[in-house]
Amino acid sequence: MANITFVEASGQSTTVNLANGWNLMQGAIANGIDGILGECGGSCACATCHCYVDEARQGDLPPAAENELDMLENVAAERRPNSRLACQIKATAALEGLIIHLPETQE
């Protein structure tokens, strides 16, 4: 399990405890985090779970796969070097304390 903090565009932060194997999009939706839509249900087909990973922790994540990089070309908000799709990041104990910032828009 891992405690992950989601910081909404408004500045509101919420920390949720996610079971190993859950992706961050699932955790955000299940916990009512505003700013993650997840329209494709986590199949890496829409980019509505775009997020910004804490830059200091990027090395704790596996690199983005080609299909994720392709979908990141379609994000509605600014794409940054630390942009990821929350549906492609699975919770593990190694991600304990990770901070995820959400963009102002997903559409």
Side-chain angles (χ1 to χ4, degrees), residues 19-44:
N20 289 343
W22 269 49
N23 69 51
L24 302 190
M25 182 214 66
Q26 290 171 309
I29 289 173
N31 288 281
I33 304 297
D34 190 29
I36 294 276
L37 302 179
E39 290 178 350
C40 72
S43 62
C44 196

Side-chain angles (χ1 to χ4, degrees), residues 1 4-6 13 23 25 27 29 32 35 44-45 49 58 71 101 103:
M1 298 197 68
I4 308 292
T5 300
F6 293 88
S13 69
N23 69 51
M25 182 214 66
I29 289 173
C44 196
C49 64
Q58 282 184 279
M71 289 310 322
H101 291 268

Side-chain angles (χ1 to χ4, degrees), residues 1-4 16-22 90-97:
M1 298 197 68
N3 288 302
I4 308 292
V16 298
N17 189 274
L18 299 182
N20 289 343
W22 269 49
K90 294 207 182 281
T92 66
L95 297 185
E96 174 64 31

